[in-house]
Amino acid sequence: MKLFEPFELGPVVLKNRVAVTSHKFSYRHWENDHERSTDKYLGYVRRRMEGGVGFFGLSALPVWGVDAQHPFQLEHVGSKLRRFADVAREHGCATFVQLHNAGVQGNSSLPGVNYDESVPSDGAGLVAFSAAPSTSGTEVAHEMSPDEIEAIIEGYGRLAELAVASGIDGVELHAGHGYLLQQSFTPWRNQRTDEWGPSTRFLRAVTARVRAGIGPKGVLGVRIATKDFRPPEAGGLTEQRLLEIALELADTGMVDYFNPTHGSQASDYGRVVGTYRRPLGEFLPSAARLRQELDGKAAVLGVGRVTTVQAAEDALQRGDCDFVGLTRAHIADPDILKKSKRGEADSVRLCVSANQGCIDRLGAGGDVYCFHNPDVGREYRRNDPQPVASPRSVVVVGAGPAGLKAAEIAARRGNDVVVLEASSQAGGRLGSITNVTSAHELVASTAWLEAELARMGVQVRLNVHVDEEVLASAGVDVVVLATGSIAPPPSFSTDGSVAVHSPELALKKLVGTPKKTLVVHDSLGTEEAMVTYEQLAASGHQVIITTPLPTISQSTGFTHRTDLLDRLKSWGCTLLERTDLVSATDGRVRAQHMLTGEIIELGPVAAVVLAQSRLPETSLLDAARRHSTEVLVVGDAYSPRDAMMAFTHGDIVARQI
């Protein structure tokens, strides 16, 4: 495969054309003296480098201005970078670090702007080319003076020098996603009339200073937008003008590669790091055009929901790019390259673009995680499941995410495992997702576990109703109760004239049936509720969404909300926020606005679907304790949460079997 061929990237030879692109892991690992967070990040990076990737982009380093009044004070970052450079050399991986300044974007009082826990820069705020309100906060940025602009340029240079002096192979300038470099050349964010007005002057000045700092042996890349999602009349730039900017920069001869992206502000990340709703390989056509126009002046990195080795190979064969990012694919399965080389592509744990752990959790202030790979973030302190000294017989009751994961880990440790499931399919509530929307990609997470269990010879027996008699006859050492959770009765009055369903029952009974008017009452604001009303609306039903929460899907991540409202609008859904249900009687539903007290009559309604908190299903617990030496409770049966935590809990508990 072309993907596994060596590739000359400027002065560095990559051992293959596979990249893990720069992405934030935590808000703390570059902080001074915060070694535990650095250890976590180093374990995460090491695990991906062990998989054989040729290019690894480290998490971005924020850039400060440097001048006589503000000396360079980031030497401590060098010692951290040297640790990553050492690991990279150990695995033959080229390592890069991204440099960025958020400019007007963000909030100067929150993490991510500075390298310590104090108020950034002794209280200094965001900086910009023109005073403007932040798109992701409430403050107005400070308009930089010419001297402050020069200081920022020097800050880029000093940080780049530190990186290569620490053993890093090169740096990538982030000139997309609405950061300062992109702000400098877009009229939307730069209304100056002096020499620093909207042009490529600042971008070229930063590029020249960084190239001087890293020298001819360092690699210089630029992440740049090929679409900014903003029309010219609103201060945006056309695709042609963005292409011209890249070509102008390439003509300087200082840039080794471009990393094309889309967007011009923080909220665009919801489209840039797309969920399963976004097209696969969405940005590759733009990359192909850029590569054609560059005509060999610089390499092009292809990104944008490339999830498999074959998709990456196809992009190379089409000529879309010179090397390819498989970033989230490596989060889900760091051995994706090894497995593919061995001809075991069907054993790769696929990225399902759930975004819950890798992007949205980070946006809420947590470290990177993964929807169905519980090792992520724990690599620094855990190993592969270790073989047991004395194998035991284990029965797992329930084949949802927690049960399947527990069975997989217990079997990898050498135990004799069988899984018993009451329904006709595995997967738990995830298994109820149909293919009427692309949310069906999520089902691949449990399908992978089913396939792994089959490869290990573990039986998953369906349509088995487990009771005390079954447990008594099983005669096993360990019972793992992964029996999930049950929906509590509705809190509103009902006379039975309107059916009341849980989300999983609604998807099984209503998707594919003739059009009905349905009320989906969402008291959670989570992914499960969101998937439910999307599936029902996409299958043709008239869906009325009520929620007592201030906004629709309040607890889903921002990458999901980006696309959600437009989709619901296209399906004709009705949204009633801050609204609770009062009754479902006489074929109609009565709701009440929680602030005004207004009663809203809805109907006729065929069914109410309740996305609500659930109760653990532990009715077998006492019987299990009577008929086995050890009983472990996992997933929702232990504590009803979401699928990501069910996978995690099943993994953690099974390591003690």
Side-chain angles (χ1 to χ4, degrees), residues 604-621:
V605 172
V608 173
V609 183
L610 293 180
Q612 60 181 336
S613 297
R614 299 168 68 95
L615 302 174
E617 168 52 274
T618 56
S619 59
L620 285 174
L621 183 57

Side-chain angles (χ1 to χ4, degrees), residues 6 122 204 209 286 319 401 540 580:
D122 296 326
R204 286 184 288 111
R209 176 63 183 89
S286 294
D580 213 347

Side-chain angles (χ1 to χ4, degrees), residues 173 202-212 220 249 254-255:
L173 304 178
F202 181 72
L203 178 60
R204 286 184 288 111
V206 169
T207 303
R209 176 63 183 89
V210 168
R211 172 50 76 188
L220 176 55
L249 203 57
M254 295 184 290
V255 177

